[in-house]
Amino acid sequence: MSRDWFPRSGDETPHEHTHLVTPARVYFNNVLSSRFRMIKVKPLRSLVTPKPPQFFMVWVPGVDEIPLSVADYDEKSISFIYEVKGAGTNALSKLGSGSYLGLKGPLGKPLNIVEGFSTLLVVGGSGVAPTPYITKYLASRGCRFEVIWGVKKRSELFNLGSVMSGVEYIHIATEDCSVGYCGMASELTRELVSKYKYDLVIGVGPKGMLKSLCEVTSGLNTYVVLETMVKCGLGLCGSCVLPNTDKLLCVDGPAFRCEEVMQYLRT
Amino acid sequence: MNASGILGATPEHIAKLASYGLAAVVTKTFTEKPREGYAPPIIIKLRNCGYINAVGLANPGIELLPQVVRKGKELGLVTIVSVGGSSLEEFVKVSTVALDSGADMLELNLSCPHTRGYGLDIGSDPTNVYEVVKAVSSLSSTPVIAKLGVSDNYVKSSGKALEGGAKALTLINTVKAMIIDVYSAKPILSNVFGGMSGPPIHPIAVKVVYDVYKEYEPEIVGVGGIVDWISAAELILAGAEALQLGSALSTKPRELVDSVLEGLKEWVSELGYTRIKDLVGLAHKK
């Protein structure tokens, strides 16, 4: 009868637990482009090392708690790329160096990335947020990879290389045809996958783009990283349920195989 | 079964709960009108291994209740509807929809600790408890369970619920609590305070179940801080006949349910019994 004698939670060091709010101090909080900002913070207690595309619930004291995927992480700091969309991200954008916030995470499931996989990463819109950390991870796993970054217009772009390491080649696609490939990221994907062989395709971006991506890469090993409203992040409140599936984005995702979520992407 | 408030607001949530291997599902507390609930943060873990939440009774309202109940029935699960209300009329209205939808049981939420005008604001007064339970119990023969929380009057409230016609009591709800971040000097929950759940409230739940069982020997659904078979077994010995899991479902829920069931089975046979029922309230035996 000695099995499980101590409660499951009793033997964990509390600060290591991913459901706690860990305090963090802001290093900097800068503008990257017309659309994106980047905040880098120092956690005041050690975090569990996140694996892409895991995310944190970032607590802006007294205002909101926002799901943000990790843009970069090392033992001393963690960074997030975000877009000012509502009251929460607006308040986040006002936090200057030295301000405090809280981090709950890492949450969600890591992507299972096999060493040496040749990978195509397709990024659209706010999907750029986790990109640097995904590519860092791919590089550490010895994966060769290419990135397609699709935006509506030139002013959304920033030097992705400045926040990202190990990228061999970035294909830029603009919908207004101002730079790079003229058209959508999914259209360029169609062209690339017809010419080259990829072991893995990862899509990060808006729902419409991911739906097209799943269609043009049908038959390939494609994962899409979804975004939706997340309130608790722990699989308890159910806010992030993907309609027409039994999946909760916060605990089953945020990355899914196309076939798991195709019905949701079509709605 | 799950504790009310863990998923249970949409058919998709019910399917998710079913995948955890529970014998019964309890819906999120439904109110007449949809409720948005509070802004995040709504649920976080505490340094004492408990959780704290203030979700604000978020639910889609009675219009969507029938499809939620239907999903539970479709999946072959005993489906219990958690009913909320800020007035006697609202409790009756929501209960009527739940009954018409085919709910197997109703659980009256008389103990939510963080939503003004609901829950504990009503349930801490034994007279209110009696009136709500009586009104809902008289609607049909479907069993009505009263979910009560910790207040100065819990033994009296339990008695009043049983007198009003409750077939069982769910004990206990979360316990009023608060957390403050020491760097920003701000309360963390958007609602400022909330309800604590998880291991820290388990001994409180054991005491409440023990006290109420001692007084009335009613059927009790025990809930509060179950994280393994031992914490479940304690509640059974105190007097609980069925159990609910809440915050512990945030970590490997399917494995948790399986290990609690397996552990209880071994425990029953270790003590030389064949049925778990024989162990209900055994701690009271002199």
Side-chain angles (χ1 to χ4, degrees), chain A residues 1 4-5 7-9 12 17 19-21 23 44 59 64-65 104 231 236 238 241 243-246 252, chain B residues 6-7 12-13 16 36 38 40-41 43-46 49 51 181 183-184 187-188 227-230 248 251 266:
Chain A
M1 299 300 283
D4 292 342
W5 190 253
R8 289 196 314 166
S9 334
E12 289 158 8
H17 203 284
H19 294 175
L20 291 166
V21 173
L44 300 182
W59 176 55
D64 201 355
E65 194 184 31
K104 182 169 75 183
K231 284 182 85 173
L236 298 176
V241 70
N244 304 313
T245 74
D246 67 349
D252 299 318
Chain B
I6 309 298
L7 304 173
E12 288 90 346
H13 291 174
K16 188 80 186 162
E36 276 266 315
Y38 301 132
I43 310 176
I44 51 173
K45 189 165 183 174
L46 299 164
C49 293
Y51 281 79
D181 172 56
Y183 290 94
S184 63
I188 299 185
V227 290
D228 55 13
W229 70 267
I230 300 166
T251 312
E266 280 180 31

Side-chain angles (χ1 to χ4, degrees), chain B residues 112-132:
Chain B
C112 171
H114 55 66
T115 308
R116 189 180 283 275
Y118 288 83
L120 206 55
D121 279 3
I122 296 176
S124 55
D125 178 348
T127 317
N128 287 345
V129 169
Y130 173 78
E131 280 171 13
V132 173

Side-chain angles (χ1 to χ4, degrees), chain B residues 16-69:
Chain B
K16 188 80 186 162
L17 287 169
S19 74
Y20 299 164
L22 302 159
V25 286
V26 186
T27 69
K28 186 114 182 62
T29 296
F30 273 76
T31 51
E32 183 185 354
K33 302 227 164 63
R35 287 179 57 93
E36 276 266 315
Y38 301 132
I42 55 169
I43 310 176
I44 51 173
K45 189 165 183 174
L46 299 164
R47 293 169 66 248
N48 67 5
C49 293
Y51 281 79
I52 187 166
N53 87 81
V55 176
L57 294 182
N59 79 92
I62 47 177
E63 233 170 86
L64 293 178
L65 179 53
Q67 42 176 292
V68 172
V69 176

Side-chain angles (χ1 to χ4, degrees), chain B residues 139-189:
Chain B
L139 294 173
S140 79
S141 58
T142 300
V144 171
I145 309 167
K147 180 168 180 178
L148 300 172
V150 183
S151 66
D152 293 341
N153 298 319
Y154 66 78
V155 174
K156 200 169 172 200
S157 287
S158 298
K160 283 287 177 189
L162 295 166
E163 202 183 312
K167 294 280 188 299
L169 305 169
T170 297
L171 300 169
I172 59 174
N173 209 314
T174 54
V175 177
K176 271 190 190 180
M178 184 169 172
I179 176 176
I180 299 172
D181 172 56
V182 300
Y183 290 94
S184 63
K186 294 245 182 335
I188 299 185
L189 290 173

